[in-house]
């Protein structure tokens, strides 16, 4: 599951299900859901998206993500893999686009080529790594047409890999790999994906009344969808709801059936029958700009001891239990808890990645590291701006806490706070390196540690701060290459990489999200996952 992607992973966790309280009668309930979103939907172009929290319900790929993160049939009715793990063959079912066109194998070929093309500037192009020629294409050393996918007839897709990919099947459930209709893209030209009507859909729903800027839009049932008989909802209304206070008010007015809770609300409603907690593999963390335009800050953020001092000054127990108070967990490192387990022992990766005195609260050691780091950086004091998304519920309490804690524990540190809309961070500031320290985050795209561990690698698209460690890169590359077909050895490569990142604090984890909700009993059938597309409404209904 993927920020995670950090944005994208942020977007994957902010959409919540609610039911229209009006219009009920003695007959069957109206199959309409009202969903709240914390921010507008930024794009509906899967090649350019920075997250698939909503669009996973309108774009279907080869597989879908079912309960407990397991793959279930999507547009492919069957699949097989060669003994060496390098060739996958998918047999497509008889399925249509929302406009009635047949979905054919070439639609997958076209989609992958469009997304992987460097001209598209896909933020998720790195997920194609391991598919034949993908790395060369990403580096600009091969044409997009050489990527390892071909159509063997109208309903057979053949994918060739450079190396076995342990998580390939679950990767094929991610909307990034869904088909695209070239005829429609050519027809609409520059209009394509700028409004909901300039798009066609392969999933159980299609989008209406989205124009790229509004705070309201709808999903409606896709009557051309191959499995439409199991889709009970006729419409999903989306409205941007900016805070949990407003959400709770709407819930109490019986206009919402499911609403997220924050801090004091959690304490007030924890014993309520409607109280629910939904965990997600989203980890909030700090990115340090190691290419900061200011020489002093650049020297500081490139210093391991200063980064460790900042991490060890944070009391994450107090942060999660008192400051956030929403059920969020304290992280053990960069990779989320309950994401993946050791193939040999069954141990949670989160336990194996632990390195003492890296993400625990140790103010005494923090002061020692701070003094040492300042000397090594050749500075006597430091000031920086902490940047965060203004439209995230946790932003204000989180950043206020960090500022107070750091300035209390670390002499000579002055922190300024800045909050701007998340979209602005993504497109204008972080990607261009216009920040000092950034509150970021990532929700795993799939249930494997690599979903997190590929982010800090040198040069990846979400590594906005420019962190680089050759030993770390080598470990992750080894897991992805020579050890890819050896589950136990690959696992140890990833554990070692995670430990190195922890010890280096190249990126500093803050908390893992567990969101509390109030949910009415008549909303049924929503599938919730901790990685990938978090909310799946295909089987949702109103009882």
């Amino acid at each position: 599951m993927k920020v995670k992607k950090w944005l994208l992973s942020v977007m994957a966790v902010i959409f919540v299900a609610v039911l229209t309280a009006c219009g009920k009668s003695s007959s069957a309930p109206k199959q309409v859901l009202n969903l709240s979103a914390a921010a507008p939907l930024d794009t509906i172009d899967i090649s350019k998206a920075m997250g698939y929290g909503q669009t996973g319900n309108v774009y279907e790929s080869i597989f879908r993500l079912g309960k407990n993160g397991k793959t279930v049939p999507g547009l492919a009715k069957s699949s097989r893999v060669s003994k060496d793990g390098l060739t996958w063959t998918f047999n497509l079912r008889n399925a249509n686009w929302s406009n009635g066109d047949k979905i054919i194998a070439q639609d997958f070929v076209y989609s992958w080529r469009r997304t992987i093309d460097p001209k598209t500037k896909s933020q998720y192009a790195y997920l194609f790594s391991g598919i034949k020629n993908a790395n060369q294409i990403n580096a600009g050393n091969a044409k997009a047409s050489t990527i390892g996918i071909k159509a063997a007839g109208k309903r057979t897709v053949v994918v060739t890999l450079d190396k076995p990919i342990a998580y390939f099947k679950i990767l094929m459930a991610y909307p990034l790999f869904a088909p695209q209709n070239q005829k429609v893209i050519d027809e609409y030209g520059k209009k394509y994906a700028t409004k909901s009507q300039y798009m066609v859909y392969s999933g159980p729903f299609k989008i209406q009344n989205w124009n790229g800027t509004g705070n309201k839009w709808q999903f409606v049932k896709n009557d051309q969808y191959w499995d439409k008989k199991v889709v009970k909802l006729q419409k999903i209304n989306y409205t941007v709801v900016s805070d949990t206070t407003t959400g709770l008010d709407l819930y109490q007015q019986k206009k919402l059936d499911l609403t997220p809770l924050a801090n004091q609300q959690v304490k007030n409603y924890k014993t309520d029958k409607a109280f629910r907690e939904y965990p997600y593999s989203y980890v909030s963390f700090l990115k340090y700009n190691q290419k900061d335009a200011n020489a002093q800050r650049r020297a500081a953020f490139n210093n391991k001891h200063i980064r460790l001092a900042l991490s060890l000054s944070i009391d994450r127990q107090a942060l999660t239990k008192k400051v956030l108070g929403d059920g969020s967990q304290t992280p053990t490192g960069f990779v989320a808890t309950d994401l993946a387990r050791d193939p040999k022992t069954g141990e949670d990766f989160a336990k194996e990645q632990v390195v003492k005195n890296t993400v625990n609260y140790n103010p005494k050691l923090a002061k020692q590291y701070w003094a040492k780091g300042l000397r090594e950086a050749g500075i006597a004091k430091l000031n920086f701006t902490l940047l965060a998304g203004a439209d995230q519920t946790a932003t204000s309490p989180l950043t206020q806490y960090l500022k107070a804690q750091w300035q209390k524990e670390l002499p000579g540190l002055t922190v300024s706070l800045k909050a701007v809309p998340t979209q602005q961070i993504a497109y204008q500031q972080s990607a261009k390196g216009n920040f000092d320290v950034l509150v970021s985050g990532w929700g795993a795209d799939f249930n494997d540690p690599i979903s997190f561990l590929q982010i800090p690698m040198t040069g990846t698209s979400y590594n906005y701060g420019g962190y680089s460690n050759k030993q770390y890169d080598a470990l992750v590359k080894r897991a992805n290459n020579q050890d890819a077909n050896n589950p136990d050895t690959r696992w140890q490569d990833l554990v070692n990489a995670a430990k190195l990142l922890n010890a280096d604090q190249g990126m500093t984890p803050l908390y893992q999200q567990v969101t509390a909700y109030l949910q009415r009993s008549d909303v049924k059938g929503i599938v919730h996952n901790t990685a990938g597309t978090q909310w799946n409404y295909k089987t949702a209904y109103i009882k």
Side-chain angles (χ1 to χ4, degrees):
M1 325 264 166
K2 166 286 319 299
V3 332
K4 109 137 273 164
K5 164 26 164 187
W6 61 273
L7 176 61
L8 298 331
S9 312
V10 173
M11 294 298 292
V13 303
I14 61 177
F15 301 106
V16 297
V18 296
L19 165 68
T20 304
C22 307
K24 292 186 178 180
S25 66
S26 57
S27 60
K30 191 175 183 181
Q31 294 299 317
V32 177
L33 276 171
N34 292 326
L35 306 182
S36 69
L41 179 61
D42 58 347
T43 182
I44 59 173
D45 187 339
I46 62 172
S47 289
K48 299 178 181 180
M50 297 184 70
Y52 303 90
Q54 285 189 50
T55 52
N57 287 284
V58 296
Y59 302 119
E60 184 161 284
S61 189
I62 288 170
F63 298 108
R64 289 184 65 83
L65 205 59
K67 293 181 180 180
N68 301 317
K70 304 297 184 182
T71 54
V72 296
L75 292 176
K77 62 182 181 180
S78 64
S79 64
R80 65 181 184 274
V81 60
S82 60
K83 289 184 178 180
D84 61 8
L86 297 179
T87 305
W88 286 78
T89 302
F90 303 102
N91 298 309
L92 303 182
R93 64 180 73 255
N94 184 12
N96 294 340
W97 290 101
S98 57
N99 67 351
D101 290 350
K102 291 292 183 184
I103 296 176
I104 59 175
Q106 186 60 32
D107 293 335
F108 283 92
V109 176
Y110 173 76
S111 179
W112 289 22
R113 289 177 177 177
R114 180 173 182 262
T115 302
I116 196 71
D117 192 327
K119 294 179 182 178
T120 303
K121 298 180 180 179
S122 171
Q123 295 290 311
Y124 278 83
Y126 65 88
L127 283 180
F128 285 85
S129 181
I131 297 171
K132 185 177 179 181
N133 291 332
N135 290 343
Q136 295 94 315
I137 297 167
N138 268 328
N141 297 324
K143 294 182 179 179
S145 59
T146 65
I147 190 169
I149 183 173
K150 67 179 181 180
K154 288 191 174 182
R155 291 193 188 171
T156 303
V157 176
V158 180
V159 177
T160 305
L161 308 181
D162 283 325
K163 59 197 175 186
I165 300 177
Y167 50 88
F168 187 72
K169 186 173 182 179
I170 199 167
L171 192 65
M172 291 298 99
Y174 204 54
L176 174 73
F177 299 94
Q180 297 182 58
N181 189 320
Q182 183 177 3
K183 185 189 78 173
V184 169
I185 293 176
D186 290 343
E187 176 184 346
Y188 290 136
K190 292 182 179 180
K191 290 183 178 181
Y192 178 73
T194 58
K195 294 184 179 180
S196 52
Q197 63 263 39
Y198 302 139
M199 174 60 71
V200 288
Y201 308 94
S202 57
F205 301 96
K206 55 186 180 180
I207 306 175
Q208 285 187 350
N209 299 318
W210 179 84
N211 62 10
T213 59
N215 287 335
K216 292 187 177 183
W217 57 92
Q218 297 83 43
F219 287 0
V220 297
K221 182 175 179 178
N222 179 6
D223 289 329
Q224 292 289 332
Y225 180 56
W226 68 271
D227 204 20
K228 64 182 180 181
K229 65 181 181 300
V230 306
V231 181
K232 297 182 175 65
L233 292 177
Q234 293 298 318
K235 181 183 288 188
I236 304 173
N237 294 317
Y238 280 95
T239 304
V240 173
V241 177
S242 60
D243 59 79
T244 57
T245 299
T246 302
L248 182 57
D249 287 344
L250 293 172
Y251 180 89
Q252 291 172 334
Q253 295 170 31
K254 297 186 178 180
K255 294 180 179 179
L256 302 182
D257 270 325
L258 193 152
T259 189
L261 303 175
N263 205 320
Q264 189 59 44
Q265 295 173 336
V266 174
K267 298 175 184 177
N268 293 342
Y269 290 95
K270 197 170 183 73
T271 59
D272 194 294
K273 291 182 179 179
F275 184 84
R276 302 285 187 275
E277 286 186 318
Y278 287 104
Y280 188 53
S281 62
Y282 175 84
V283 174
S284 176
F285 55 90
L286 300 173
K287 290 180 180 177
Y288 306 102
N289 190 353
Q290 298 189 15
K291 297 181 180 179
D292 200 293
N294 178 277
Q296 287 190 336
R297 288 193 286 268
R298 185 167 64 251
F301 299 145
N302 276 277
N303 186 278
K304 169 183 175 179
H305 294 109
I306 287 178
R307 297 194 302 266
L308 278 165
L310 291 166
S311 179
L312 291 170
S313 298
I314 303 168
D315 185 346
R316 291 171 177 80
Q317 284 291 332
L319 173 62
T320 55
K321 304 302 180 187
K322 297 179 181 180
V323 178
L324 299 177
D326 57 4
S328 292
Q329 301 174 342
T330 57
T332 64
F334 194 65
V335 178
T337 301
D338 293 328
L339 177 69
R341 294 191 175 273
D342 191 319
K344 183 183 294 184
T345 67
E347 186 72 273
D348 193 324
F349 188 92
K351 290 186 178 180
E352 297 191 13
Q353 72 179 341
V354 172
V355 176
K356 187 178 179 180
N357 288 326
T358 57
V359 296
N360 51 297
Y361 182 43
N362 191 331
K364 181 178 179 180
L365 184 57
K367 286 182 174 64
Q368 294 174 10
Y369 281 148
W370 179 251
K372 183 177 182 179
L374 291 179
R375 289 195 302 271
E376 291 171 344
I379 56 179
K381 57 184 179 179
L382 178 65
N383 66 81
F384 63 76
T385 298
L386 179 63
L387 178 66
D391 44 20
Q392 302 305 312
T393 303
T395 290
S396 180
L398 170 65
T399 55
Q400 291 288 347
Y401 169 78
L402 292 174
K403 173 185 170 74
Q405 192 70 7
W406 283 334
Q407 292 185 165
K408 180 183 75 171
E409 302 290 359
L410 305 175
L413 176 60
T414 303
V415 178
S416 301
L417 303 181
K418 184 178 181 180
V420 300
T422 300
Q423 276 186 271
Q424 185 177 337
I425 289 178
Y427 292 113
Q428 299 177 22
Q429 296 197 246
S430 57
K432 295 180 180 179
N434 297 329
F435 69 95
D436 297 332
V437 180
L438 172 68
V439 176
S440 187
W442 190 259
D445 300 315
F446 46 89
N447 293 84
D448 192 276
I450 197 67
S451 185
F452 279 91
L453 295 178
Q454 58 199 347
I455 299 170
M457 293 184 71
T458 302
T460 57
S461 56
Y462 281 103
N463 188 358
Y464 298 137
Y467 173 74
S468 180
N469 183 303
K470 290 182 180 179
Q471 186 181 355
Y472 179 86
D473 291 347
L475 285 166
V476 178
K477 287 178 181 178
R478 188 184 304 160
N480 282 340
N481 292 282
Q482 59 260 45
D483 295 339
N485 215 20
N486 186 326
D488 294 338
T489 306
R490 174 182 180 271
W491 181 268
Q492 196 56 51
D493 291 337
L494 296 177
V495 169
N496 291 340
K499 286 184 174 181
L500 192 155
L501 183 65
N502 253 359
D504 208 25
Q505 281 304 291
M507 297 178 185
T508 293
L510 299 172
Y511 65 89
Q512 181 174 342
Q513 183 168 348
V514 177
T515 306
Y517 296 85
L518 290 181
Q519 178 177 331
R520 300 191 195 281
S521 59
D522 53 355
V523 176
K524 303 289 187 180
I526 295 174
V527 174
H528 176 271
N529 279 298
T530 60
T533 301
Q534 185 183 11
W535 301 99
N536 180 348
Y537 302 114
K538 176 177 175 176
T539 56
Y541 64 98
I542 311 303
K543 186 175 180 180

